[in-house]
Amino acid sequence: MIDPNDLQSLLTTRNERFCVSLYQPTPRRHPENQQDPIRFRNLVKEAETSLGRVLEANAIDPILAPLRALADDADFWNHTHDGLAIFVGPEQFRLVHLQRPVAELLVVAESFHVKPLLRIVQSADRYQVLSVNRRDIRLFEGNRDVLDEIALSPGVPSTITDALGEELTTAEGQVHSYGTGPVDGAGASRGPGGAKTGGHGHGHGSKKDEIEKDTERFFRAVDKAILELHSKPSGLPLILAALPEYHAPFHAISYNPHLVAKGIEVNADTLAPDELRARAWKVMEPFYIDRLAQLVERFGAARSAQRGDDRLPQVAQAAASGRIDTLLLQAERAIPGRLDVATGDVQCSSDMTDPAVDDVLDDLAQRVLVTGGKVVIVPTDRMPTDTGLAAIYRYPTPP
């Protein structure tokens, strides 16, 4: 996956020798995905031809080696999402799984081509789900249509043993007995049918007390790591999926401002992927609608105070001078033309099929992100203007 910090890095990378950007749709289902490796090899050949115009032949093979290896990796092609983006530069290789399809494209230039990413990464409907029980955690990322498990960043404890190590107060052999069922008065977990699955109390406290202390420390370690390594970089809302009895303890210890108040009160491991997505979106949708409503209200107030505009020429000028704090763009809307990022001048066109013609809205988004602003993709029915854009400035428009 990719977060705004990664996107910012890609946006600002410049290299006079080469930057390779490769995009490919990757259908998830058979038989639609059978041709994916073949299409990928064709794109790699196209990259070889393009690189041949700027590099010596003996310098190209090391650059394309990881791409050629990927083309032959059957396991990789059996576990794609909806699209694929790969960025290759000197001492740089970045592969991104996309949860929405993209058009097939290969670009070799002095900078990375990131426009196909913009509307995916900046979409307002993205969120993460943290699945927690007493033993381990899993992390998912998705939108209204799809939800996928993602790899935990190095440093995030995936199990209670990872988190506590030698500080785990219960014996190693007892960790597996941290069941998801209720705990009885003697400190033993009860499995299906009420059968006891735990042992007896020992030491200075019951086994139940020890388990509760370990659970709290595990939750604290998880919360801290997820906040620092996932929530802060992504900025995405985080939904907790756990048994009902874990929600209050986890929220009580959490310092994560991205954790939403309402969660999914069930063990995520018991749900099919699409059922987990449906439950997550049921939680996320009101949060999503409220966020968009706040942005719309903020734009209205900014426009009244001469700190906002929806007119393309004025917004383009503000983008060029780095004055835009937040830019709302209408999903699925395009304005054919070109933006001069130095002057803010816009040349509109009527022919989007012309290779020399871009989407001005995407050009604006890229400029806003490079200058430290935020971009939010808004569905048509929530957009506060009919021009396809709404900009909130950092300070009022000069007279």
Side-chain angles (χ1 to χ4, degrees):
M1 299 300 179
I2 193 167
D3 62 51
N5 289 337
D6 297 321
L7 183 57
Q8 186 75 14
S9 175
L10 292 171
L11 279 165
T12 55
T13 296
R14 294 289 184 275
N15 185 277
E16 293 181 358
R17 297 179 67 209
F18 69 91
C19 287
V20 179
S21 306
L22 183 153
Y23 292 90
Q24 179 181 337
T26 53
R28 298 190 185 217
R29 292 179 176 81
H30 184 85
E32 292 90 347
N33 61 3
Q34 281 186 302
Q35 300 300 312
D36 287 355
I38 297 173
R39 294 194 199 96
F40 184 76
R41 289 188 182 95
N42 290 337
L43 287 170
V44 174
K45 288 180 181 177
E46 190 177 333
E48 182 176 14
T49 301
S50 296
L51 287 169
R53 300 189 184 104
V54 294
L55 297 175
E56 298 294 331
N58 60 358
I60 296 175
D61 283 344
I63 297 168
L64 298 183
L67 296 177
R68 288 168 176 156
L70 198 63
D72 296 327
D73 188 341
D75 185 64
F76 171 82
W77 294 105
N78 287 330
H79 296 88
T80 56
H81 292 171
D82 300 288
L84 177 68
I86 299 179
F87 305 95
V88 185
E91 301 180 359
Q92 187 170 6
F93 182 94
R94 180 65 196 266
L95 185 152
V96 184
H97 287 289
L98 305 175
Q99 292 181 306
R100 288 189 167 105
V102 288
E104 194 171 288
L105 181 66
L106 187 286
V107 177
V108 176
E110 294 181 358
S111 60
F112 289 123
H113 182 78
V114 298
K115 288 181 182 178
L117 284 183
L118 294 179
R119 296 193 179 226
I120 296 175
V121 176
Q122 306 304 126
S123 178
D125 67 345
R126 295 174 63 224
Y127 61 89
Q128 292 183 338
V129 176
L130 177 63
S131 168
V132 174
N133 58 46
R134 280 176 172 156
R135 297 167 304 189
D136 52 40
I137 71 167
R138 300 165 68 195
L139 188 64
F140 301 81
E141 186 171 314
N143 53 52
R144 70 178 73 196
D145 300 314
V146 296
L147 181 67
D148 296 297
E149 184 168 3
I150 63 174
L152 295 169
S153 296
V156 178
S158 61
T159 68
I160 191 169
T161 305
D162 291 340
L164 305 185
E166 295 180 355
E167 296 181 6
L168 189 62
T169 57
T170 51
E172 180 68 20
Q174 294 174 327
V175 173
H176 73 276
S177 69
Y178 287 6
T180 55
V183 179
D184 68 11
S189 293
R190 292 188 177 274
K196 290 186 178 181
T197 59
H200 301 289
H202 59 85
H204 296 286
S206 68
K207 180 180 175 183
K208 176 182 177 182
D209 292 337
E210 292 175 350
I211 290 175
E212 288 178 348
K213 290 178 182 177
D214 283 349
T215 300
E216 180 180 337
R217 291 192 297 150
F218 178 43
F219 286 177
R220 288 185 185 278
V222 167
D223 179 69
K224 181 179 179 181
I226 290 292
L227 171 59
E228 294 298 325
L229 299 173
H230 284 281
S231 292
K232 281 184 177 179
S234 72
L236 297 178
L238 182 68
I239 300 170
L240 179 65
L243 289 174
E245 58 265 35
Y246 297 155
H247 281 255
F250 193 92
H251 277 269
I253 61 89
S254 178
Y255 285 91
N256 192 334
H258 301 279
L259 182 65
V260 300
K262 187 176 180 181
I264 303 170
E265 296 190 348
V266 67
N267 182 356
D269 294 342
T270 66
L271 299 177
D274 198 56
E275 175 63 17
L276 180 60
R277 180 206 58 78
R279 294 198 183 204
W281 184 246
K282 187 175 181 180
V283 172
M284 179 63 189
E285 188 172 21
F287 183 90
Y288 161 77
I289 292 172
D290 182 62
R291 181 194 177 200
L292 292 180
Q294 290 183 33
L295 285 168
V296 169
E297 182 178 352
R298 187 176 161 218
F299 168 72
R303 182 162 55 177
S304 299
Q306 305 300 312
R307 290 183 53 249
D309 211 322
D310 66 341
R311 295 170 294 173
L312 179 58
Q314 286 77 3
V315 172
Q317 293 288 333
S321 60
R323 291 196 293 115
I324 296 181
D325 175 83
T326 304
L327 178 66
L328 311 184
L329 293 181
Q330 182 177 329
E332 309 302 329
R333 180 76 176 266
I335 298 178
R338 294 187 67 85
L339 170 70
D340 186 325
V341 296
T343 65
D345 292 338
V346 176
Q347 294 180 344
C348 290
S349 172
S350 60
D351 184 9
M352 197 69 170
T353 63
D354 185 342
V357 172
D358 263 327
D359 177 10
V360 175
L361 295 183
D362 283 346
D363 287 342
L364 284 171
Q366 187 163 331
R367 178 61 183 170
V368 169
L369 290 171
V370 166
T371 55
K374 296 180 286 292
V375 176
V376 182
I377 305 303
V378 179
T380 301
D381 61 345
R382 302 281 173 183
M383 193 69 193
T385 70
D386 58 7
T387 61
L389 74 163
I392 300 171
Y393 299 155
R394 293 189 168 104
Y395 45 86
T397 303

